[in-house]
Amino acid sequence: MFEYAPAPESRSIVAIEPTYGLFIDGSFVEGKGTFKTVNPASEEVLAEVAMAAPEDVDRAVAAARRAFGPWSALPGAERAKYLFRIARIIQERSRELAVLESLDNGKPIKESRDVDLPLVAAHFFYYAGWADKLAYAGFGPDPKPLGVAGQVIPWNFPLLMLAWKIAPALAAGNTVVLKPAETTPLSALFFADVCRQADLPAGVVNIITGAGDTGRYLVEHPEVDKVAFTGSTEVGRQIARSVAGTGKRLTLELGGKAANIVFDDAPIDQAVEGIVNGIFFNQGHVCCAGSRLLVQESIAEPLLDSLKRRMATLRVGDPLDKNTDIGAINSRAQLEKITELSEIGSSEGAERWSPPCSLPDRGFWFAPTIFTGVTQAHRIAREEIFGPVLSVLTFRTPDEAIEKANNTPYGLSAGIWTEKGSRILAVADKLRAGVVWANTFNKFDPTSPFGGYKESGYGREGGRHGLEAYLA
Ligand code: NDP
């Protein structure tokens, strides 16, 4: 096999400040304490970021409350202008943002550049288009915004999750206080600067950085009218409990354990690409990752041979190298979780395989891994690993595939690989998953609603449905 010469994107494309404050009421202000955010590929400290204390959250929510009246009173077409402006600035500054996202998150530059950033801009463009058409969205002739939205997002798609939350909220006339994840605050702070550049009125978007407690304080704040959360099922449950009975509106996007089902008539090479994309995209830090491969027994052997050959070509390493397929694991804590669950997989009797690959000495890394001989009782078949680890199970009949696919407390996404359209429709109909991809995987579009069943949460983001969560 030939070697690739390094093709590094320059990190000097983006200027990172040594310290960042909280973005409240249109200005950066100091918080009480600070924390460090590191590059997970090198463990180098990138910046010191303010830690929002409860009084800072109060200030941010008060700013959003003050801004709500004038913002919601603007004609939709005027709000749309701001959203279009934000979308265009994101496009203009997308190279800076892509480098920043890869530095702070660890994801390969080709993903931040070609997937995250185009989708972020597309979300703002899409919801800008709705801002003056809310009366035609199917929620009554005169739908009203809810007020102040408290939004808490995870570290796997920091800027994209911000776009999913902020774009529909603003289009519908709400104002926002958003808390990014502790390990990935930088692109949200960059976005604060984009808001300033777009002349967005002060207080319409507030960004408060901090840890879980900051998030908890935000979602429990009595002046917050709407809570939107993406993250773990465990924290989602806590939030649902704390919001219950308060009258706040709530949407939760939580974990998943998606089945990617390959039937014996599927085109194997395409299916292998879909399996690789399904579990190794973004290091498997994807709530809708195809983390359980269900393969029809009669083709399991050739399919796994092809999959292993393909995995041996995956390049793991420097996220800023344009050749890299798999970047760094986002944090030491996440690496420990992936390592622990993988060890449990081996000790429970599943067979572990990774291609030979050398991992960098510093930073957080995990080789792409598959487990075969997995049964439904294994923890690696039941729990969200949130890393580049695939559990392979087999089935004999479509009914067995459907039963196994649905045998999970989650219900976020699923994939079907088959040549027969009728089988796609019949199986998709019986899968208890919010999103079902057929002969593809991990495809996203702002026009398409996304969300889950059961422990994967409730509410939909994206599309016309995504507006519903921000309108009364
Ligand atoms: P969390 O659910 O803890 O984090 C998501 C966001 O919520 C972060 O901004 C976090 O802040 C914040 N948060 C934490 N505790 C609270 C709270 N009590 N109230 C309000 N907000 C809170 O996910 P983790 O980052 O801890 O990851 C743990 C596991 O969750 C992962 O291993 C993965 O399995 C799963 N996960 C799933 C995601 C998905 O999209 N399905 C996304 C992220 C994680 P902070 O970062 O500062 O702790």
Side-chain angles (χ1 to χ4, degrees):
M1 198 166 55
F2 62 90
E3 292 291 318
Y4 283 80
E9 174 60 290
S10 164
R11 70 159 287 173
S12 61
I13 280 164
V14 63
I16 302 180
E17 306 289 336
T19 59
Y20 287 89
L22 308 164
F23 186 67
I24 298 178
D25 212 8
S27 311
F28 281 100
V29 297
E30 280 182 21
K32 288 268 174 318
T34 60
F35 62 96
K36 294 182 171 65
T37 184
V38 302
N39 176 349
S42 64
E43 298 175 57
E44 158 213 10
V45 174
L46 293 169
E48 285 221 3
V49 178
M51 173 78 81
E55 51 270 34
D56 300 316
V57 181
D58 290 343
R59 275 198 289 168
V61 173
R65 174 62 60 200
R66 280 193 303 277
F68 174 64
W71 178 250
S72 58
L74 279 183
E78 290 303 312
R79 287 200 305 274
K81 285 184 194 167
Y82 288 104
L83 289 169
F84 278 124
R85 216 180 280 165
I86 289 172
R88 282 195 299 269
I89 296 171
I90 286 170
Q91 283 185 321
E92 280 161 18
R93 304 187 72 183
S94 66
R95 197 163 168 205
E96 285 170 82
L97 273 163
V99 171
L100 187 64
E101 195 78 319
S102 283
L103 282 171
D104 205 18
N105 168 280
K107 64 175 69 199
I109 186 72
K110 71 176 176 190
E111 290 180 7
S112 46
R113 181 195 62 195
D114 299 345
V115 182
D116 297 50
L117 261 300
L119 279 172
V120 169
H123 259 84
F124 280 99
F125 278 119
Y126 175 74
Y127 281 109
W130 269 118
D132 63 347
K133 302 175 193 70
L134 299 175
Y136 309 98
F139 309 117
D142 189 20
K144 296 274 186 273
L146 301 174
V148 176
Q151 307 180 322
V152 178
I153 55 171
W155 41 262
N156 53 342
F157 293 93
L159 195 62
L160 185 58
M161 290 301 103
L162 173 151
W164 281 26
K165 300 252 178 309
I166 291 185
L170 297 196
N174 302 271
T175 54
V176 161
V177 180
L178 177 131
K179 191 200 90 66
E182 195 179 345
T183 57
T184 54
L186 294 184
S187 54
L189 293 165
F190 190 110
F191 179 80
D193 196 45
V194 169
C195 292
R196 286 209 300 203
Q197 210 183 329
D199 277 333
L200 190 72
V204 171
V205 167
N206 304 274
I207 309 282
I208 50 168
T209 44
D213 278 345
T214 309
R216 189 170 49 77
Y217 199 74
L218 174 62
V219 301
E220 291 177 3
H221 200 288
E223 284 291 308
V224 163
D225 303 295
K226 148 84 194 165
V227 172
F229 171 78
T230 298
S232 62
T233 297
E234 191 192 335
V235 173
R237 252 192 228 118
Q238 286 172 27
I239 292 176
R241 245 181 257 130
S242 73
V243 164
T246 62
K248 288 178 194 170
R249 291 267 294 271
L250 175 65
T251 40
L252 296 172
E253 296 285 349
L254 310 176
K257 193 74 189 174
N260 204 358
I261 308 169
V262 184
F263 288 98
D264 58 4
D265 61 346
I268 287 206
D269 289 348
Q270 284 169 32
V272 164
E273 286 309 308
I275 294 163
V276 165
N277 176 280
I279 188 62
F280 301 125
F281 171 65
N282 203 33
Q283 296 73 246
H285 300 329
V286 184
C287 47
C288 52
S291 52
R292 284 184 300 150
L293 173 63
L294 300 189
V295 53
Q296 197 148 15
E297 200 176 82
S298 51
I299 57 156
E301 226 180 276
L303 181 106
L304 288 173
D305 287 347
S306 287
L307 178 61
K308 287 178 177 175
R309 269 200 306 279
R310 178 67 180 90
M311 283 171 66
T313 68
L314 292 172
R315 296 175 293 269
V316 184
D318 181 7
L320 284 193
D321 191 321
K322 293 166 199 157
N323 293 322
T324 294
D325 297 306
I326 299 183
I329 300 302
N330 179 250
S331 65
R332 185 182 300 283
Q334 189 59 25
L335 178 61
E336 281 166 5
K337 182 184 165 192
I338 299 168
T339 306
E340 187 196 340
L341 272 167
S342 300
E343 280 162 8
I344 289 170
S346 300
S347 67
E348 286 186 336
E351 194 177 320
R352 178 176 181 163
W353 184 87
S354 290
C357 74
S358 61
L359 301 176
D361 298 331
R362 286 185 68 79
F364 315 129
W365 306 94
F366 200 87
T369 299
I370 57 173
F371 279 98
T372 49
V374 178
T375 72
Q376 296 186 85
H378 285 153
R379 279 182 64 186
I380 52 168
R382 310 189 68 80
E383 291 178 29
E384 187 178 44
I385 301 175
F386 224 61
V389 180
L390 179 68
S391 300
V392 184
L393 297 96
T394 57
F395 68 89
R396 288 185 181 167
T397 65
D399 283 346
E400 188 187 345
I402 292 161
E403 204 176 305
K404 284 185 167 165
N406 287 337
N407 184 13
T408 165
Y410 296 111
L412 193 52
S413 65
I416 305 170
W417 296 84
T418 171
E419 196 188 52
K420 293 187 191 64
S422 55
R423 180 178 276 165
I424 290 171
L425 296 174
V427 173
D429 209 36
K430 293 183 183 133
L431 290 175
R432 201 75 185 129
V435 180
V436 180
W437 286 291
N439 293 329
T440 187
F441 209 91
N442 273 342
K443 286 279 180 286
F444 304 96
D445 190 281
T447 63
S448 173
F450 181 91
Y453 289 105
K454 302 193 280 186
E455 290 190 17
S456 292
Y458 44 81
R460 293 291 178 267
E461 292 188 311
R464 185 188 67 81
H465 303 68
L467 287 167
E468 189 177 6
Y470 291 97
L471 289 170

